[in-house]
Amino acid sequence: MLRMLKTLFIVERTDKKTLFALLAIAIFSLAISIYSYEAELGNPIAEKSNDSLTVKAALNKFQVVDATEDGPGSPLYKNVVQQDTSFTKQGMSLKVNRPELYLESALRLTQLRKDAFMMDEYEKIADIMPQMIENELDYYYYSYLSQLETPPPFAAYTYTHFLMYLLGFVGAFWFITIAIYSSNIMIEDFRHTTLIKGYPIAFDRYVLAKVLVTWSVTCLFLVVLLLFSVPYAFLGEWGSLKDVIAIWNGQVQIHTVLSYSGFAIGYMLLLSLVAIVSSVILNVLVRNVYITIFIQLGLVALPIMFPRLATLAPWYPYHYVNFPALLRGESLMGADPAELSAWMGMVILTVYLLLILALVKWFLSSGRLQRA
């Protein structure tokens, strides 16, 4: 078995498709690192300037009136004016490097938004203001930082923050990428079983070896992705693995860069296995690369086309392939909110993986392969 794994890995790593995929990932990672630095991605001053535009857009929904406490403006209008003032304070505190003042105004802003959700006529501005879960994530994030003895400086260019952004961006498309890459994993073997009948191991063990080797190549993809993102650190600052991020995972949680990155990488490796084994079973059934890809993409697109499916069938595994969206709490947004979480996704995807592995084993041992 070990000799078989070694042989298959040598064949796989020299395959033109694999070499092209590795090159594409390296170029992508390097390009997005340089672009993110040049575009000042993560620059808090620029980000707050962009966020304040939503408040100014909300103000345009109202007729200009006196926003003082005794003025004729509605409570919602006065609330939005105070939000605009909080944004101004945040911008000034960043420019003069006053993290305490920044955190104070940030918490004030989250409280104002929380109050606004309950006010009359909020629906007038609901489409341009942050969702409730987004505000909760901000509140917990800034509350955590405000409890530190020394609030961290809000540096513009840190590799650790970029790393979380990179894993979140790539993680959204990871399942689709691996599903396409592995779509022909067993096509030739299932079309021409005589090609491997001379191997001194059972066919089901050969299939398992192919799955493990393909999965190991996807691990190599992740290594290349991370390795070629390191230039960002030399352009800017390294940051700290103790920096934090607020996520939704059944409840709002605070994670460090290290724990978030570890969770994201583990989730991506699980998604890789699910995509690869799904390709195996589809190869058995349809014997066609394009139909395999079409079915995989269709299964992923189903929850997007029918959002209500999240409340009707929360156990559907393809709700959970875009884990960065789950961690942002996007399942709680929209007309049909559902409390889906990434932890729930890991459990459901693991069970789903075991089921399709059992199905593959049944197909191979029941003679279904030879009859197809």
Side-chain angles (χ1 to χ4, degrees):
M1 182 67 172
L2 290 177
R3 185 177 299 176
M4 171 64 67
L5 286 171
K6 182 179 179 181
T7 301
L8 290 175
F9 185 77
I10 293 173
V11 172
E12 191 68 30
R13 75 180 184 183
T14 56
D15 184 73
K16 290 183 180 180
K17 180 184 69 173
T18 302
L19 295 175
F20 175 80
L22 287 169
L23 180 61
I25 290 171
I27 293 173
F28 167 80
S29 183
L30 185 61
I32 197 172
S33 300
I34 296 174
Y35 170 79
S36 298
Y37 176 82
E38 293 296 332
E40 297 191 352
L41 185 72
N43 185 330
I45 297 178
E47 288 184 352
K48 287 304 162 188
S49 298
N50 293 332
D51 289 345
S52 67
L53 294 178
T54 62
V55 175
K56 297 186 184 302
L59 286 173
N60 291 332
K61 299 282 186 177
F62 300 89
Q63 184 178 3
V64 179
V65 294
D66 184 359
T68 60
E69 185 175 349
D70 299 324
S74 69
L76 181 59
Y77 173 75
K78 295 175 183 179
N79 180 285
V80 176
V81 170
Q82 292 178 64
Q83 290 187 41
D84 189 40
T85 302
S86 295
F87 270 119
T88 302
K89 288 183 179 179
Q90 282 182 290
M92 291 301 297
S93 62
L94 286 170
K95 291 179 181 178
V96 298
N97 194 24
R98 292 279 305 280
E100 300 88 352
L101 180 60
Y102 177 86
L103 292 173
E104 180 184 334
S105 56
L107 284 171
R108 170 64 175 161
L109 177 63
T110 59
Q111 185 58 54
L112 287 168
R113 285 177 168 171
K114 187 180 295 186
D115 294 340
F117 293 136
M118 304 296 116
M119 291 181 177
D120 294 336
E121 299 184 324
Y122 182 74
E123 63 276 3
K124 290 172 57 176
I125 61 173
D127 59 331
I128 55 178
M129 297 296 284
Q131 297 276 344
M132 189 176 294
I133 183 60
E134 294 176 293
N135 190 59
E136 282 296 298
L137 291 172
D138 284 344
Y139 171 76
Y140 276 86
Y141 175 70
Y142 292 123
S143 294
Y144 177 87
L145 294 182
S146 65
Q147 293 170 8
L148 300 177
E149 291 184 6
T150 305
F154 293 89
Y157 311 112
T158 60
Y159 173 70
T160 52
H161 285 89
F162 170 72
L163 177 62
M164 291 189 290
Y165 165 80
L166 179 66
L167 291 173
F169 181 83
V170 175
F173 306 98
W174 187 253
F175 180 86
I176 295 174
T177 302
I178 302 304
I180 294 173
Y181 171 78
S182 63
S183 59
N184 67 339
I185 179 173
M186 299 295 298
I187 288 292
E188 291 302 318
D189 297 316
F190 288 151
R191 281 179 179 169
H192 310 288
T193 56
T194 54
L195 292 176
I196 56 169
K197 283 185 176 178
Y199 285 126
I201 62 171
F203 189 46
D204 56 348
R205 297 186 68 186
Y206 171 79
V207 173
L208 177 62
K210 289 273 286 190
V211 169
L212 291 176
V213 167
T214 305
W215 181 72
S216 68
V217 171
T218 65
C219 295
L220 187 59
F221 289 169
L222 272 174
V223 171
V224 171
L225 179 74
L226 297 176
L227 182 62
F228 281 83
S229 69
V230 171
Y232 188 100
F234 295 101
L235 294 171
E237 299 178 11
W238 279 95
S240 171
L241 292 175
K242 294 181 180 180
D243 289 343
V244 297
I245 183 175
I247 64 169
W248 163 260
N249 210 354
Q251 60 183 0
V252 179
Q253 300 175 344
I254 298 295
H255 279 252
T256 63
V257 173
L258 184 60
S259 62
Y260 176 86
S261 301
F263 179 83
I265 292 172
Y267 205 108
M268 291 165 75
L269 293 177
L270 175 60
L271 287 175
S272 296
L273 268 177
V274 173
I276 293 166
V277 179
S278 298
S279 292
V280 170
I281 194 66
L282 289 172
N283 282 179
V284 173
L285 295 174
V286 300
R287 310 295 180 88
N288 185 284
V289 173
Y290 301 106
I291 297 178
T292 295
I293 294 174
F294 178 78
I295 293 174
Q296 292 266 52
L297 296 183
L299 292 170
V300 174
L302 195 61
I304 301 173
M305 295 186 293
F306 302 101
R308 198 177 176 188
L309 190 63
T311 55
L312 296 175
W315 41 264
Y316 181 65
Y318 293 91
H319 288 310
Y320 304 97
V321 295
N322 185 356
F323 72 91
L326 295 173
L327 296 177
R328 290 192 297 269
E330 290 187 12
S331 66
L332 298 173
M333 305 177 191
D336 298 294
E339 292 192 4
L340 307 181
S341 70
W343 278 118
M344 184 192 306
M346 291 195 81
V347 173
I348 290 175
L349 286 171
T350 300
V351 172
Y352 178 64
L353 175 63
L354 294 175
L355 288 175
I356 53 179
L357 278 171
L359 191 60
V360 169
K361 173 70 174 177
W362 178 79
F363 268 112
L364 298 180
S365 61
S366 65
R368 171 69 177 82
L369 176 64
Q370 284 74 19
R371 294 196 302 268

